[in-house]
Amino acid sequence: MAIGFERALSVHAQTLELRSRRAEILAANLANADTPNYLARDIDFKATLSGLSGRENALKVTHAVHMQARGSASGELLYRTPAQMAIDGNTVEEEQEKSAFADNAMRYQASLRLLGNRVQGLLSAIRGE
Amino acid sequence: MSLFSVFDISGSALRAQTVRLNTTASNMANVDSISSSTATTYRARQPVFAAQLDDAGDEATGVDVLGIVESQAPLRREYRPDHPLADQQGYVNLPNVNPVEEMANMISASRSYQTNVEVLNTSKQMLLRTLALGD
């Protein structure tokens, strides 16, 4: 039985990709906190991740050498609904964006730790120690 | 890895906030720059920010400083006939800088700068931990 790298790592690898994508979006929001008429963006993390790893979206494999096409972890960019819009048309609420960024960073590191453990597990399986 | 682009995004924000701090410093420094003609009097300067968009024009990839505009608010005129720069009627022109506005602007710029430095640091940590994956 071959060691399935894809199977062992897939969810965590996709999570990391999506987390780093979200970090980029939130950083852009924070960078534009003082830009007139800028509308804050975000992705629906849960829906995007389940869309990526969901089996109903997987391509049908009819031959042993067929590869599974993986969608890029982009996700649909949505607009955030502000609790209180600024007078210049900016919808970035710094506190919310900051806490979302910190939350995203922590979860990224959690996924990273889990992925690291998986890699360790695979390594010891390969070495057979 | 899109975490690297966070450096570009936050870097552009740091640059934009620095321009804003610079104009504020210039405005505050010139708050008492007296002049005899309205044409040569210093006017308050403010940078204009705009979101930097990607090629598709949908997603922000940072912030741009479009330019610096001079305030069109009326200049202050004071009657000081003994001043060497006073005009025929004895008036001097003072810049239209509002120190209260400038101070608020300065605090806002420095807070935004700090926020973006935090974002940069956090992203750096995330990247470094990623590089150490599997160690």
Side-chain angles (χ1 to χ4, degrees):
Chain A
M1 193 187 92
I3 296 171
F5 278 107
E6 276 290 305
R7 212 176 315 147
L9 306 178
S10 65
V11 176
H12 295 305
Q14 282 172 350
T15 310
L16 280 186
E17 205 177 331
L18 205 51
R19 287 271 171 229
S20 62
R21 164 111 179 97
R22 186 155 185 246
E24 187 193 348
I25 296 165
L26 295 175
N29 284 347
L30 282 168
N32 282 293
D34 297 318
T35 308
N37 299 317
Y38 178 82
L39 302 173
R41 313 296 295 267
D42 202 353
I43 48 172
D44 185 345
F45 187 88
K46 198 176 164 191
T48 312
L49 188 64
S50 62
L52 277 177
S53 57
R55 293 201 172 261
E56 66 272 19
N57 291 344
L59 288 180
K60 203 171 175 183
V61 180
T62 55
H63 192 272
V65 296
H66 281 179
M67 285 186 289
Q68 191 57 255
R70 302 212 169 270
S72 64
S74 54
E76 195 192 350
L77 266 182
L78 307 170
Y79 290 96
R80 206 189 285 295
T81 311
Q84 209 174 20
M85 202 161 140
I87 203 163
D88 63 356
N90 186 305
T91 63
V92 179
E93 282 164 340
E94 272 197 68
E95 293 71 25
Q96 201 192 349
E97 301 295 335
K98 272 188 214 170
S99 56
F101 188 85
D103 175 84
N104 189 59
M106 287 311 295
R107 286 172 196 272
Y108 180 91
Q109 301 205 2
S111 292
L112 202 58
R113 177 67 63 86
L114 288 169
L115 188 60
N117 289 347
R118 291 290 182 95
V119 172
Q120 289 289 345
L122 282 177
L123 274 177
S124 47
I126 290 165
R127 287 200 199 103
E129 289 161 349
Chain B
M1 179 64 97
S2 46
L3 266 182
F4 280 108
S5 58
V6 173
F7 287 92
D8 294 333
I9 294 170
S10 296
S12 75
L14 293 185
R15 202 159 51 238
Q17 299 297 343
T18 309
V19 171
R20 190 170 165 207
L21 265 179
N22 266 333
T23 55
T24 303
S26 158
N27 291 346
M28 288 299 270
N30 283 296
V31 74
D32 286 322
S33 297
I34 290 172
S35 159
S36 51
S37 82
T38 52
T40 56
T41 310
Y42 182 88
R43 287 169 187 274
R45 279 137 215 244
Q46 304 293 347
V48 181
F49 288 178
Q52 199 180 77
L53 297 173
D54 62 357
D55 292 337
D58 184 42
E59 200 187 335
T61 56
V63 56
D64 263 339
V65 180
L66 285 187
I68 292 172
V69 292
E70 289 193 340
S71 164
Q72 295 305 310
L75 298 171
R76 282 182 294 147
R77 273 172 76 76
E78 272 181 25
Y79 184 62
R80 288 199 206 164
D82 52 341
H83 196 283
L85 286 173
D87 60 10
Q88 299 289 324
Q89 290 82 39
Y91 281 95
V92 290
N93 295 296
L94 285 135
N96 55 359
V97 175
N98 183 342
V100 181
E101 258 176 40
E102 296 302 331
M103 285 305 286
N105 227 334
M106 187 193 76
I107 293 166
S108 169
S110 100
R111 289 283 176 275
S112 298
Y113 193 93
Q114 285 170 13
T115 302
N116 283 292
V117 171
E118 286 292 325
V119 170
L120 267 183
N121 267 334
T122 309
S123 305
K124 193 182 83 181
Q125 288 286 341
M126 284 159 78
L127 270 175
L128 284 177
R129 298 262 166 92
T130 313
L131 289 175
L133 180 68
D135 279 358

